[in-house]
Amino acid sequence: MDIKIKIKSTNLNVFYGEKQALFDINLEINQNEVTALIGPSGCGKSTFIRCINRMNDVIDICKIQGEIEMDGKNIYAPNTDVVSLREKVGMVFQKPNPFPKSIYDNVCYGPKIHGIAETKDDLDQIVENSLKKAALWNEVKDRLQEPGTSLSGGQQQRLCIARAISVNPEVILMDEPCSALDPIATAKIEELIDELKTTFTIIIVTHSMSQAVRVSQKTGFFHLGKLIEVGTTEKIFKNPTNNMTQDYITGRFG
Amino acid sequence: MNLLILVFIFVFSFSCFFFGKSQIKKIAAVNNFKTKALPHFYGFYLSLWCALPAILIVFLWTVFEPFIVKYLIISGLEQSSLADIDHDRLNLVYQKIKALYFGTYSGAASEQIQLGAKQYGSFLSMAQNAKIVLVFTAVIGFTLVAYKKITNNTHAREGVESIFKVVLILCSVVAVLTTAGIIFSLLIESIKFFSQINFFDFLFGLDWSPQKAFVRDTSIVLTASEKQELSNAFGAVPLFAGTGFIALIAMSVAVPIGLFSAIYLAEYAGSNLRKFGKPVIEVLAGIPTVVYGFFAALTVGPFIKSIGDTLGLDVSSESALAAGLVMGVMIIPFVSSLSDDVINAVPQSLREGSYALGATKSETIKQVVLPAALPGIIGSILLAVSRAIGETMIVVMAAGLAANLTINPLDSTTTITTQIVMILVGDQEFTSAKTQAAFALGLTLFVVTLILNFIALSVVNKYREKYD
Amino acid sequence: MTKEQRLQKRYSAEKRFKWYGIISICMALLFVALLVTKVLSEGTSAFVKSTIEIKLNFDQTALNLPEKPITEDLNAIDFYSFAIDQILKTYPTSNRDEEKELIKLFTTDFEFEVKDFFLANTNLLNQTVSFKITASSDLDQLHKGNYAKNISEDRRKISNYQLKIYDHFIQNNKITKVFNVYFFTNGDSRNPEIAGIGGAMLGSFFSILVCLIISFPIALLAAVYLEEFAPKNKFTDFIEININNLAAVPSIVFGLLGLGILLNVFELPRSTSLVGGITLALMTLPRIIIPCRASLKAVPPSIREAALAVGASKVQSVIHHVVPLAMPGTLSGTIIGLAQALGETAPLLLIGMVAFVVQVPANPLDPSASLPIQVYLWSESAERGFVEKTSATIMVLLGFLIIMNSIAVYARQKFEKKWI
């Protein structure tokens, strides 16, 4: 089986004003795999994945040095179209943020602005497929016109996942998607992630090491803005090379 | 005279302060107990009880004295030979009596009026003497009671603080009294108006020509047809239409400019531009409306007329368009400021959710932010409409005076507020239907703006609950 | 439509949207710029007035004075005849009509100007001095270039003969522009050249003073009550609803209130700044209460608790600690409220401050006008001489507003504590 590198960061340095948040990050993400990023709070994991879909552009004082390549092309090249990039790289946030619209409108928003659907039937189909892939269809198929905010926390997050899927991305970034959810909802989402990896490349930031073990194939350990160690999940958790990694996963800090 | 009384009260209570302060120390020393509060509180206690009731009496007396004297004189007149003259005529006689007493009456006065003037004078001096006696009694009386309390070592500080809290409550009630005053003054005159003019003729009538209601001898009873003719002269529909039309023109200027300015400043502008931009737009709100009216009447109006003339259109020099445009500019900050607040209140997470899907900034604003902020924006628009309807100077100076039912912005039309000003500025008889009409219009305006404000605020508040 | 085409379309829409915002802001600014330009260009000329220099020969016999004149003799001089005599000497003619036209070139107040000048300088008896008399409004406007000269005589305000006199004066350097003191010292007048905003300024001053004295204490105490002491019950809610409503009531309704109750029921004197001030105070009350409450709310509870912990009573903690800390915000809110009251016209119109008042008011019980009302009155006037005065009055009014708002903003920024 060919392991293709989907995303590669080279000497990535990120500054918030004067403060440096990431130091020389060199990390490769493999296609159709789930890569977990772990580490204590404030170590830069969220900053890193927000670089991949250039969400940090929204923050005025954020400065990026270095390269991130997707499919061999640097996404920080001057003439990169950010809008198209974000069609290919979707994001699910820590706190579920459905739009104050109906469930249907939440999911069809993305396809509509990108002009993916040609007819209303196409749109209906996309909505149905996305909701099915997000394992939410059966629960909402009879109430698509109700507001997305009327769902429970876990359902809302699956709605956000359906929304991310609806534009047919290649990569899905997940920033601690389960931290605001209860264990049962969490389990459902972890199940979902496992299915999704066959179609998408997934990068997940997580606080929970057990989640990383359950869900990912590759893990990177961040600490204070530096990538301390990266490798297969099995290796990182059973046999880490770096002492700090060892300390973290045994709960000595963080 | 009042000044003297107030000075007396002030001086007396001032000395009471020092008196109380020193007395309590002496008493405490003599009887060997610890005072329950610091000495100066006893001083305050004594002086407040001395002054406040007396000042209240002076205030109430001064405010209600003219009312009571007028009532006495007029009921005296009613009991005499003028018993069958109506109230308006009596009022006129009363004014003449007053004028004679104050020496501003010109011409020969009838014996009755001279008698009335003498009576007026005697009432005034009686009232004055009574006031002085009452005040004096109050000052002495309350001071004695308070002094007794002090010598019993009352909790002076708490006493003073209770007085303070009562003063606080009274101040808060002033707002309620003001509203009551507004409603009272508007209702009284409006009721008099609607006793002469049919309510539905007013609300739905199409002809507004108040000059027909000349000041007439109110002793003449009108025939039914004359009454009807009078009633028909006060159809307010052209006024409602004119007010609404000019407000519509104003909103069509203010809403796009205000909203887009708010969007730009909230979403696109850098922090420097935001810091300067918002205050600069606020400047528009600080310019007095008379200056806007000046600009509308002397610059915008003629400008529109000259453009219209070159295009061959028939443009009035007091076009609704001129007044509406300038009013729109005045309202821009109302729309922009409130919209800016509600747009900023939309959580950033919604925007990020949209950006993450690959939407452009304008798509995010149009399809996510604005719909989320919509209730607040609608609230701000309603408040702006309420402001537009109640605006006076711009329309008085730039819009027309003739009631004209039209949808042509190049025509002139008049508004509720213009008519109120036109009727009341200048000599008015408080008894003619014309003057009372102004109050009826004022009542309509008050009620409409109240309802609009209520709806606007409840819409904005409901929205705020959603995100808190 | 291909993917690229669609993307292009979206980006164009984005650019257009951004431009709508910029254009909107520019339009708003453009309006302000136009207004300011018009007012400045028209109004600056009102601060100067044209004067005509003539020779005054205070000959004792010509003034009909005895050998050793005493004060009563001086005051009894017929300055009218004397002045006319001196004026006619500047451009002699035998034609009665032409004499009248000459006199009309001078202000109608000419005798008073000469009188005031002489009585202030009685040592000039039997001397000849040069004196500048204010020109009439027509000559003033002519000299400032506001009258077209090349239209037919019957459509002009200045006759051909008067033009001749004017040219003659110009050639002999008799016409100069001096600072127009009358603009600030005089009350209103039918004659533009001596009309001033002195009355209106004092009227505004007294109104705002009365407004401040009434509204500030009541608003402060009401805000303190509502924020610190009021229990959460229906009565308090009712008061708050009333205050919020009053803040949004159109100002003309307050005028009706003033007319209906203050003038009609309480029979206070019409057209005075006292009544104007009370009406404005009722209107300004909620506009002070609201920022005052916001400032009080911003004081952290820890301050109140610290005061209570030292044994202060609730009243003491509020008066000694909370209110002083809320003062910057309260004061700036008050100044802004007063600035708004200064610019109000409609309520004062209804209580009669629109009467033509010539006497400068000496106290709040004298009838007066206010600055905005003066603008309103003069803008309605047909005379050309009032045009520049209207704009100049606006300049003065805006000047006061700018100063007041700047003080408010400065005070708030300098003195307000930023609670972390």
Side-chain angles (χ1 to χ4, degrees):
Chain A
M1 193 176 50
D2 263 336
I3 295 187
K4 219 175 120 194
I5 296 175
K6 184 74 180 171
I7 296 177
K8 179 169 144 168
S9 83
T10 315
N11 294 337
L12 186 69
N13 287 283
V14 177
F15 299 84
Y16 285 119
E18 295 297 314
K19 190 164 176 294
Q20 185 159 4
L22 288 178
F23 297 81
D24 275 333
I25 307 293
N26 292 290
L27 178 59
E28 287 171 0
I29 310 288
N30 297 329
Q31 189 161 341
N32 290 106
E33 252 187 26
V34 179
T35 306
L37 304 179
I38 61 173
S41 312
C43 64
K45 328 186 280 290
S46 297
T47 310
F48 178 71
I49 60 167
R50 282 171 66 100
C51 288
I52 300 179
N53 70 346
R54 291 187 62 167
M55 275 309 270
N56 282 333
D57 289 3
V58 174
I59 301 173
D60 284 331
I61 53 170
C62 188
K63 298 280 174 289
I64 316 275
Q65 286 171 9
E67 276 186 12
I68 296 186
E69 285 178 1
M70 188 161 95
D71 292 331
K73 279 206 294 232
N74 181 16
I75 63 174
Y76 278 98
N79 56 348
T80 315
D81 182 36
V82 177
V83 162
S84 307
L85 171 68
R86 291 184 187 149
E87 200 187 342
K88 286 198 243 163
V89 181
M91 186 175 237
V92 176
F93 295 81
Q94 188 168 345
K95 196 163 167 291
N97 58 355
F99 301 132
K101 298 170 185 283
S102 68
I103 295 174
Y104 183 90
D105 284 334
N106 262 283
V107 184
C108 78
Y109 174 69
K112 258 172 123 173
I113 53 174
H114 289 290
I116 296 176
E118 309 230 328
T119 67
K120 177 103 185 1
D121 288 331
D122 283 345
L123 206 56
D124 289 344
Q125 196 61 42
I126 292 178
V127 171
E128 192 179 322
N129 289 341
S130 309
L131 286 169
K132 277 187 178 152
K133 279 204 207 122
L136 191 58
W137 176 250
N138 286 330
E139 289 164 60
V140 300
K141 65 180 183 235
D142 297 322
R143 45 186 182 125
L144 291 176
Q145 293 309 321
E146 278 182 29
T149 42
S150 66
L151 300 172
S152 76
Q155 289 173 321
Q156 281 188 13
Q157 195 62 304
R158 276 180 281 152
L159 177 60
C160 291
I161 295 178
R163 185 177 68 187
I165 293 175
S166 66
V167 293
N168 215 6
E170 296 163 18
V171 178
I172 302 182
L173 306 170
M174 296 192 168
D175 191 352
E176 300 192 37
C178 302
S179 63
L181 305 178
D182 63 78
I184 298 183
T186 303
K188 281 212 175 112
I189 298 219
E190 289 181 5
E191 233 179 82
L192 187 52
I193 293 177
D194 202 47
E195 285 169 28
L196 290 175
K197 74 170 189 289
T198 52
T199 335
F200 309 99
T201 303
I202 299 184
I203 309 177
I204 176 169
V205 166
T206 178
H207 253 134
S208 158
M209 286 179 280
S210 45
Q211 183 173 77
V213 168
R214 286 192 295 270
V215 147
S216 68
Q217 289 77 57
K218 185 170 177 177
T219 302
F221 171 56
F222 279 76
H223 182 49
L224 293 180
K226 300 197 182 72
L227 181 59
I228 306 294
E229 189 173 344
V230 61
T232 61
T233 305
E234 213 183 307
K235 179 163 191 298
I236 292 284
F237 282 97
K238 290 226 177 93
N239 202 6
T241 335
N242 194 308
N243 278 338
M244 230 188 293
T245 321
Q246 173 81 341
D247 286 343
Y248 181 70
I249 61 176
T250 53
R252 283 240 185 89
F253 71 92
Chain B
M1 185 76 256
N2 271 343
L3 200 59
L4 273 171
I5 297 180
L6 286 174
V7 166
F8 164 71
I9 295 175
F10 181 69
V11 166
F12 198 76
S13 66
F14 199 62
S15 41
C16 274
F17 174 73
F18 292 108
F19 183 65
K21 196 165 144 184
S22 59
Q23 277 302 97
I24 193 65
K25 281 193 218 163
K26 280 197 208 133
I27 294 177
V30 162
N31 294 335
N32 203 15
F33 62 78
K34 193 151 184 275
T35 58
K36 287 198 183 141
L38 291 175
H40 65 256
F41 282 112
Y42 291 92
F44 269 127
Y45 190 79
L46 195 61
S47 66
L48 282 176
W49 273 111
C50 162
L52 287 181
I55 293 180
L56 191 66
I57 291 176
V58 172
F59 180 70
L60 287 175
W61 195 278
T62 315
V63 154
F64 286 109
E65 181 187 294
F67 206 44
I68 296 179
V69 168
K70 183 172 174 176
Y71 177 74
L72 284 174
I73 297 265
I74 288 191
S75 53
L77 288 173
E78 274 175 347
Q79 278 164 15
S80 70
S81 55
L82 299 170
D84 51 348
I85 307 288
D86 69 53
H87 185 79
D88 298 338
R89 182 62 165 255
L90 283 178
N91 198 27
L92 206 58
V93 177
Y94 171 70
Q95 298 292 345
K96 287 191 184 153
I97 290 177
K98 246 181 94 171
L100 185 61
Y101 179 76
F102 285 113
T104 60
Y105 190 75
S106 50
S110 76
E111 199 182 296
Q112 176 192 65
I113 294 192
Q114 283 179 6
L115 199 65
K118 275 210 200 91
Q119 239 187 342
Y120 186 77
S122 67
F123 276 143
L124 275 193
S125 55
M126 256 202 297
Q128 176 132 297
N129 293 336
K131 177 163 68 179
I132 295 178
V133 167
L134 194 59
V135 167
F136 203 68
T137 322
V139 165
I140 303 290
F142 279 107
T143 309
L144 283 176
V145 170
Y147 186 69
K148 186 116 199 310
K149 283 242 180 94
I150 289 180
T151 52
N152 282 337
N153 195 18
T154 174
H155 248 120
R157 197 203 64 219
E158 286 177 14
V160 170
E161 290 184 354
S162 318
I163 297 178
F164 179 66
K165 280 189 227 170
V166 167
V167 170
L168 287 185
I169 297 182
L170 284 178
C171 289
S172 313
V173 164
V174 170
V176 178
L177 287 177
T178 309
T179 313
I182 293 178
I183 296 180
F184 177 73
S185 59
L186 291 177
L187 266 183
I188 293 271
E189 297 296 327
S190 302
I191 289 177
K192 285 190 210 160
F193 178 69
F194 288 124
S195 67
Q196 290 185 337
I197 312 288
N198 184 313
F199 183 66
F200 291 103
D201 282 341
F202 174 74
L203 268 190
F204 298 111
L206 294 178
D207 182 29
W208 179 266
S209 28
Q211 58 271 18
K212 285 194 194 154
F214 46 83
V215 176
R216 69 209 181 284
D217 191 344
T218 54
S219 59
I220 296 177
V221 176
L222 293 172
T223 65
S225 66
E226 281 178 332
K227 246 201 168 148
Q228 188 57 38
E229 199 184 298
L230 189 66
S231 212
N232 284 338
F234 286 103
V237 167
L239 302 186
F240 299 150
T243 309
F245 187 46
I246 293 186
L248 183 67
I249 298 177
M251 294 312 288
S252 59
V253 167
V255 171
I257 297 185
L259 204 49
F260 272 110
S261 305
I263 292 174
Y264 187 82
L265 285 177
E267 301 282 334
Y268 288 97
S271 59
N272 274 339
L273 186 57
R274 219 190 320 263
K275 242 200 319 188
F276 285 121
K278 205 162 175 205
V280 165
I281 295 192
E282 300 289 319
V283 165
L284 287 175
I287 299 179
T289 54
V290 71
V291 177
Y292 278 111
F294 162 80
F295 196 60
L298 295 178
T299 306
V300 178
F303 180 67
I304 291 181
K305 181 157 171 67
S306 63
I307 290 189
D309 286 341
T310 51
L311 289 176
L313 298 167
D314 183 25
V315 182
S316 156
S317 56
E318 291 176 322
S319 56
L321 187 61
L325 274 180
V326 174
M327 194 194 280
V329 174
M330 180 198 77
I331 294 186
I332 289 176
F334 285 86
V335 176
S336 134
S337 208
L338 282 165
S339 303
D340 184 81
D341 288 342
V342 297
I343 288 176
N344 277 321
V346 173
Q348 186 67 0
S349 58
L350 285 182
R351 289 189 189 82
E352 293 202 343
S354 178
Y355 293 147
L357 283 169
T360 61
K361 210 161 188 175
S362 61
E363 286 163 354
T364 305
I365 295 173
K366 278 188 280 193
Q367 301 192 36
V368 175
V369 177
L370 284 184
L374 199 61
I377 293 179
I378 291 185
S380 77
I381 292 180
L382 286 177
L383 282 174
V385 169
S386 155
R387 185 78 181 78
I389 292 179
E391 172 48 40
T392 313
M393 290 321 289
I394 300 182
V395 282
V396 161
M397 294 166 85
L401 301 175
N404 191 12
L405 207 47
T406 173
I407 50 168
N408 179 2
L410 302 173
D411 261 344
S412 85
T413 177
T414 193
T415 68
I416 296 178
T417 46
T418 315
Q419 288 302 307
I420 294 179
V421 170
M422 287 302 136
I423 292 177
L424 292 177
V425 168
D427 286 318
Q428 78 260 42
E429 265 282 334
F430 241 76
T431 55
S432 91
K434 209 161 98 162
T435 314
Q436 292 158 354
F439 279 86
L441 286 175
L443 184 64
T444 319
L445 189 65
F446 181 67
V447 167
V448 169
T449 48
L450 208 63
I451 294 178
L452 270 177
N453 290 327
F454 180 69
I455 299 179
L457 283 176
S458 55
V459 162
V460 172
N461 278 334
K462 220 166 62 151
Y463 166 81
R464 233 174 247 152
E465 278 170 16
K466 245 210 290 183
Y467 279 112
D468 277 343
Chain C
M1 211 186 318
T2 69
K3 203 66 189 244
E4 281 66 42
Q5 279 179 323
R6 196 184 166 87
L7 207 58
Q8 266 313 104
K9 211 165 157 237
R10 290 168 67 195
Y11 276 127
S12 324
E14 168 77 17
K15 228 193 283 191
R16 271 200 309 272
F17 195 75
K18 207 167 160 179
W19 271 105
Y20 294 154
I22 298 180
I23 291 175
S24 301
I25 297 184
C26 287
M27 279 175 79
L29 296 183
L30 184 69
F31 184 87
V32 177
L34 279 175
L35 180 64
V36 170
T37 317
K38 173 181 164 77
V39 165
L40 281 179
S41 66
E42 273 183 11
T44 36
S45 60
F47 293 109
V48 294
K49 65 177 178 187
S50 309
T51 56
I52 307 175
E53 192 184 308
I54 67 169
K55 291 238 179 301
L56 293 175
N57 184 356
F58 292 111
D59 180 65
Q60 197 157 350
T61 35
L63 291 170
N64 285 328
L65 287 174
E67 263 299 312
K68 288 211 196 300
I70 50 176
T71 332
E72 279 88 23
D73 296 319
L74 294 175
N75 286 329
I77 296 176
D78 181 2
F79 283 103
Y80 180 72
S81 315
F82 170 71
I84 287 209
D85 197 47
Q86 304 293 304
I87 286 175
L88 289 177
K89 292 208 178 98
T90 58
Y91 201 82
T93 172
S94 50
N95 185 323
R96 287 293 308 228
D97 288 326
E98 289 182 348
E99 283 185 347
K100 284 203 195 133
E101 293 202 340
L102 172 59
I103 294 173
K104 273 210 283 202
L105 286 179
F106 293 79
T107 173
T108 44
D109 261 13
F110 62 81
E111 65 175 285
F112 300 109
E113 292 196 355
V114 172
K115 176 178 179 177
D116 291 339
F117 176 63
F118 182 67
L119 291 178
N121 301 292
T122 49
N123 56 317
L124 290 173
L125 189 56
N126 284 326
Q127 292 179 37
T128 305
V129 280
S130 289
F131 180 62
K132 292 185 179 160
I133 299 189
T134 308
S136 73
S137 174
D138 284 330
L139 190 137
D140 186 48
Q141 293 301 305
L142 177 68
H143 190 56
K144 288 174 178 168
N146 292 331
Y147 280 161
K149 286 196 208 162
N150 50 3
I151 46 178
S152 64
E153 188 182 6
D154 49 350
R155 284 175 57 202
R156 261 190 268 132
K157 291 230 141 179
I158 300 267
S159 70
N160 287 336
Y161 180 67
Q162 285 172 323
L163 265 183
K164 257 203 316 200
I165 305 179
Y166 172 71
D167 290 331
H168 171 82
F169 281 154
I170 291 279
Q171 274 171 350
N172 294 326
N173 296 321
K174 294 270 178 238
I175 300 193
T176 42
K177 285 192 201 160
V178 301
F179 180 68
N180 188 358
V181 184
Y182 285 157
F183 186 67
F184 292 103
T185 55
N186 284 5
D188 201 0
S189 166
R190 295 257 181 262
N191 299 303
E193 72 270 4
I194 50 173
I197 56 172
M201 279 204 297
L202 273 179
S204 277
F205 172 71
F206 286 136
S207 310
I208 299 295
L209 190 65
V210 171
C211 174
L212 173 67
I213 293 176
I214 297 180
S215 62
F216 182 69
I218 297 184
L220 179 62
L221 293 176
V224 165
Y225 175 70
L226 288 171
E227 238 358 83
E228 306 286 333
F229 295 102
K232 294 255 175 283
N233 58 20
K234 284 251 162 79
F235 181 61
T236 310
D237 284 342
F238 182 61
I239 297 181
E240 288 186 350
I241 292 177
N242 262 295
I243 293 177
N244 288 328
N245 274 340
L246 279 179
V249 166
S251 58
I252 194 172
V253 173
F254 284 99
L256 289 172
L257 169 67
L259 182 60
I261 300 232
L262 295 178
L263 292 186
N264 235 22
V265 173
F266 295 159
E267 298 204 356
L268 293 172
R270 233 180 109 86
S271 298
T272 57
S273 348
L274 177 68
V275 177
I278 298 178
T279 314
L280 290 177
L282 292 176
M283 203 178 70
T284 311
L285 262 182
R287 296 181 189 173
I288 301 183
I289 293 182
I290 293 175
C292 184
R293 282 189 73 178
S295 302
L296 287 168
K297 219 189 281 249
V299 176
S302 54
I303 302 273
R304 297 167 229 261
E305 285 171 13
L308 291 175
V310 192
S313 71
K314 177 126 199 254
V315 172
Q316 283 175 321
S317 74
V318 167
I319 300 182
H320 295 160
H321 299 277
V322 179
V323 170
L325 288 171
M327 263 319 180
T330 306
L331 284 176
S332 74
T334 306
I335 296 178
I336 292 180
L338 287 180
Q340 286 176 331
L342 178 62
E344 278 297 334
T345 326
L348 300 183
L349 276 183
L350 295 192
I351 54 131
M353 277 177 88
V354 73
F356 177 69
V357 174
V358 174
Q359 284 285 76
V360 171
N363 59 54
L365 289 171
D366 283 336
S368 66
S370 75
L371 281 174
I373 288 189
Q374 197 64 80
V375 172
Y376 168 64
L377 288 174
W378 280 347
S379 70
E380 306 262 292
S381 167
E383 284 228 38
R384 188 72 178 74
F386 282 121
V387 169
E388 59 176 19
K389 290 201 167 2
T390 317
S391 290
T393 313
I394 294 180
M395 281 167 72
V396 172
L397 181 60
L398 288 180
F400 280 131
L401 291 177
I402 291 176
I403 294 177
M404 286 170 86
N405 278 298
S406 309
I407 295 179
V409 168
Y410 174 73
R412 195 200 337 242
Q413 277 181 353
K414 182 134 198 269
F415 296 113
E416 201 161 53
K417 273 196 163 11
K418 291 265 179 254
W419 304 109
I420 304 165

